[in-house]
Amino acid sequence: MVSPNQSSRTRPLTLLSLGHACVDVYQGAVAALVPFFVSERAYSYAAASGVILAASLLSSVVQPLFGVLTDKRAMPWLLPVSTLVGGAGVALAGVSGSYTLTLVVVAVSGIGIAAYHPEAARVARDVSRGSHVAMGWFSLGGNLGFAAAPLLVWAVMATGGLRASPLLVVPALAGVALCVAALRGAEAPAPATAADRADGAAGRDDWASFLRLSGAVVCRSIVFVGLSAFISLYARQRTGGGEVSGTVALFVLYLGGAVGTVAGGKLAARHGRVPVVQWSYALTVLAVAGVVFVPGPLLHGCVALASAGLYVPFSLHITLGQDYLPNRVGTAGGVTLGLAVGIGGIAGPLIGAVADATSLQTALALLIAPPVLGRLLLCALKEPGTADAATARPESAADPTTRP
């Protein structure tokens, strides 16, 4: 039986997760639009990946700034406003044939997404009392949004090509309503939330561990951005399945992330966060190699494994970062969700340039190296607040009322 206190936390967290899905549709939508930019506007690989960079780079730089602001003062109004801005930018991406204007509007979308995530992560942490299992459910919403993006974009483009892109604003409108409802429901537990933050602030910031974690997140981001930008085009070439095969490959990449995020929280509750993150990076190395070299329809299976390796640690990155910097939770969220991810996105145009100069397979083969480096960075990582990961008590995370 669910107690009233648990119910008061579950409903706003559910609404936040659904709102997160509506926002992260627009992160996935930019990559899903790339094949249409290539086919309708004859963009080169480098030019197409430049659109993704425009969406991610400015977003990654400003997201920690929003994190610093939310550390100083709660700004829940950012959630609905930033959701609308993020959606409007992508909705305008196909309106003009101007490459410069396309870069500008997707950059504006990126700023909206940057403003959303640190404050949303703070609210979700407060509502869930810091549980990384609950944060996994919050992250699941975002990953479902990613997964839905290729199908949504394909459906919209089928109605009129890039000029139908204004229809993509619909999820943002739904997200605004969900954010408003979630914030109203989250007002009740505010006193306990403040106490939790005060308790967390008593810990010491572990910058050395946080920086190692952030370096690993950069490595993960390089792989994820590279696959997001080119897996659709690569699947078309590798399987001979045309547009459908490309859409399926991108959908599998994102949908596998939805499963991986929930699995990450469950595995961390049993084995601890740090070991699960370390295992995930090792799996990613093998899976990306399979994506590059395995021929035919089996490629989609390798994409699913790569997705699991990339997404199992996703929510764990967030809670580990917040626990390494308990006095700067917003900053930690801004870096792990924004800056580190965006820095990894810089590699996108470089991968595109290599693909233009050689082949797409050669360019994607470069993505095998980053998870190797990420795994090395994670070798010495310990559970926050402990000298030995064995003392972390991972089983306590299964209770969303218990701090990890």
Side-chain angles (χ1 to χ4, degrees):
M1 182 175 181
V2 179
S3 69
N5 191 39
Q6 289 176 316
S7 179
S8 68
R9 293 193 298 271
T10 300
R11 185 175 183 275
L13 188 64
T14 300
L15 293 172
L16 283 169
S17 182
L18 293 172
H20 195 187
C22 293
V23 172
D24 278 5
V25 158
Y26 298 107
Q27 295 200 75
V30 175
L33 285 168
V34 164
F36 298 96
F37 287 135
V38 172
S39 61
E40 293 190 30
R41 297 182 180 175
Y43 285 178
S44 67
Y45 290 142
S49 58
V51 176
I52 295 178
L53 179 62
S56 63
L57 182 58
L58 184 58
S59 173
S60 69
V61 171
V62 302
Q63 191 161 150
L65 300 179
F66 283 107
V68 171
L69 291 174
T70 60
D71 281 337
K72 295 179 178 179
R73 182 178 182 180
M75 295 185 289
W77 56 267
L78 271 179
L79 271 62
V81 172
S82 59
T83 298
L84 185 59
V85 172
V90 169
L92 293 173
V95 172
S96 171
S98 167
Y99 184 70
T100 300
L101 183 57
T102 299
L103 295 180
V104 169
V105 295
V106 297
V108 169
S109 174
I111 293 173
I113 292 168
Y116 172 87
H117 280 96
E119 180 65 9
R122 181 195 66 77
V123 173
R125 180 183 175 90
D126 286 349
V127 171
S128 67
R129 302 296 189 269
S131 166
H132 59 260
V133 173
M135 187 64 77
W137 287 104
F138 169 71
S139 300
L140 171 64
N143 296 333
L144 289 175
F146 260 113
L151 302 180
L152 176 65
V153 168
W154 180 80
V156 170
M157 295 301 102
T159 67
L162 287 172
R163 291 194 177 278
S165 67
L167 294 174
L168 294 173
V169 78
V170 172
L173 300 178
V176 169
L178 288 165
C179 287
V180 171
L183 292 173
R184 287 177 178 172
E187 289 176 357
T193 294
D196 283 349
R197 286 200 300 269
D199 179 65
R204 297 175 60 184
D205 292 334
D206 183 356
W207 283 99
S209 295
F210 180 76
L211 290 175
R212 285 198 295 271
L213 176 68
S214 298
V217 175
V218 170
C219 295
R220 176 214 178 261
S221 175
I222 291 172
V223 179
F224 182 74
V225 170
L227 290 179
S228 295
F230 298 115
I231 192 61
S232 181
L233 294 169
Y234 185 65
R236 294 184 189 188
Q237 297 176 6
R238 195 72 171 163
T239 67
E243 185 177 291
V244 172
S245 179
T247 299
V248 168
L250 191 59
F251 177 69
V252 168
L253 178 66
Y254 293 161
L255 183 63
V259 176
T261 299
V262 175
K266 298 295 185 181
L267 290 170
R270 180 179 294 271
H271 302 289
R273 289 177 290 181
V274 172
V276 171
V277 171
Q278 291 170 337
W279 299 339
S280 299
Y281 278 72
L283 172 63
T284 301
V285 175
L286 298 176
V288 173
V291 169
V292 175
F293 297 113
V294 171
L298 289 176
L299 176 143
H300 291 96
C302 294
V303 171
L305 288 176
S307 178
L310 291 166
Y311 271 108
V312 161
F314 183 78
S315 65
L316 306 181
H317 289 152
I318 302 170
T319 59
L320 279 170
Q322 291 175 332
D323 288 347
Y324 284 134
L325 301 182
N327 301 306
R328 296 173 175 83
V329 171
T331 300
V335 173
T336 54
L337 284 169
L339 183 60
V341 173
I343 292 174
I346 295 174
L350 298 179
I351 296 169
V354 172
D356 286 331
T358 57
S359 70
L360 198 50
Q361 184 179 36
T362 300
L364 292 181
L366 299 177
L367 298 179
I368 299 172
V372 175
L373 176 58
R375 179 63 180 83
L376 293 175
L377 288 169
L378 294 168
C379 281
L381 214 61
K382 302 293 184 183
E383 189 72 19
T386 65
D388 188 336
T391 65
R393 295 191 182 183
E395 70 275 10
S396 67
D399 180 1
T401 66
T402 304
R403 294 177 62 80

